Amino acid sequence: MNYFVIVDVTLREGIADPEGATIERALPALGFSGVHDVKAGKSFRMNIEADSQGAALEKATSLAERLLSNPVIEDARARLGEVHAQ
Amino acid sequence: MNYFVIVDVTLREGIADPEGATIERALPALGFSGVHDVKAGKSFRMNIEADSQGAALEKATSLAERLLSNPVIEDARARLGEVHAQ
């Protein structure tokens, strides 16, 4: 069965986020006030063949930690999206 | 009130995704089989001051479309995370 899995990669707490900081600084001049703590991250969407939701998430987590993120500075979390009909 | 909002930016259907394609090609050699349709995207997390969830989401959607994405090739969607105690 195919499971649609989304992996979110975010910077760990305390790691400098110049992209987020730059966006946040630019917002007031562009008419957006009251927006704080902007953090930039990455996401990866994929279809994973597996026997169960748990197995799909386990494969995604392993893949995310080994390939999609830098564990020194980033956290990676896998979650299920809706099942794709294929 | 502060609302924690997550903006997901993904490539539109049909737009070439070389990052996702490169990851997908590399997976079998690294021991991950059965992973298909890998798509790379971006995400932005932020706290938004607003009177209601709807107002926070509306501000995030407007901000996402104007600043965080390229509407020619990308879709941007805002969703609520958990409320931050601040």
Side-chain angles (χ1 to χ4, degrees):
Chain A
M1 187 152 181
N2 262 314
Y3 294 94
F4 181 58
V5 178
I6 302 170
V7 172
D8 292 301
V9 178
T10 53
L11 287 169
R12 283 182 188 276
E13 203 65 41
I15 303 292
D17 181 353
E19 184 178 356
T22 302
I23 292 167
E24 188 169 334
R25 267 201 311 276
L27 289 172
L30 293 158
F32 295 99
S33 60
V35 183
H36 304 287
D37 308 321
V38 179
K39 306 276 181 199
K42 292 178 286 184
S43 65
F44 300 91
R45 287 160 172 73
M46 64 200 75
N47 283 309
I48 297 185
E49 286 171 28
D51 293 332
S52 67
Q53 289 193 351
L57 278 180
E58 197 175 310
K59 190 188 276 193
T61 302
S62 157
L63 188 160
E65 287 171 355
R66 279 188 52 199
L67 303 172
L68 302 178
S69 68
N70 173 352
V72 177
I73 59 166
E74 292 171 327
D75 281 320
R77 281 173 310 283
R79 60 190 166 93
L80 281 173
E82 80 279 17
V83 178
H84 271 205
Q86 279 188 338
Chain B
M1 188 154 179
N2 262 313
Y3 294 93
F4 181 58
V5 178
I6 302 170
V7 172
D8 292 300
V9 178
T10 53
L11 286 169
R12 283 182 188 276
E13 203 64 41
I15 302 291
D17 181 354
E19 184 178 355
T22 302
I23 292 167
E24 187 170 336
R25 267 201 311 277
L27 289 173
L30 293 158
F32 294 98
S33 60
V35 182
H36 304 288
D37 307 320
V38 180
K39 306 276 182 201
K42 291 179 287 184
S43 65
F44 300 90
R45 286 160 172 73
M46 63 199 75
N47 282 310
I48 297 186
E49 285 171 30
D51 294 332
S52 67
Q53 290 192 351
L57 279 180
E58 197 176 308
K59 191 188 276 193
T61 301
S62 157
L63 187 159
E65 287 172 354
R66 279 189 52 200
L67 303 171
L68 301 179
S69 67
N70 172 352
V72 177
I73 58 165
E74 291 171 327
D75 281 320
R77 280 173 309 283
R79 60 189 165 92
L80 283 173
E82 80 279 16
V83 178
H84 271 205
Q86 278 188 338

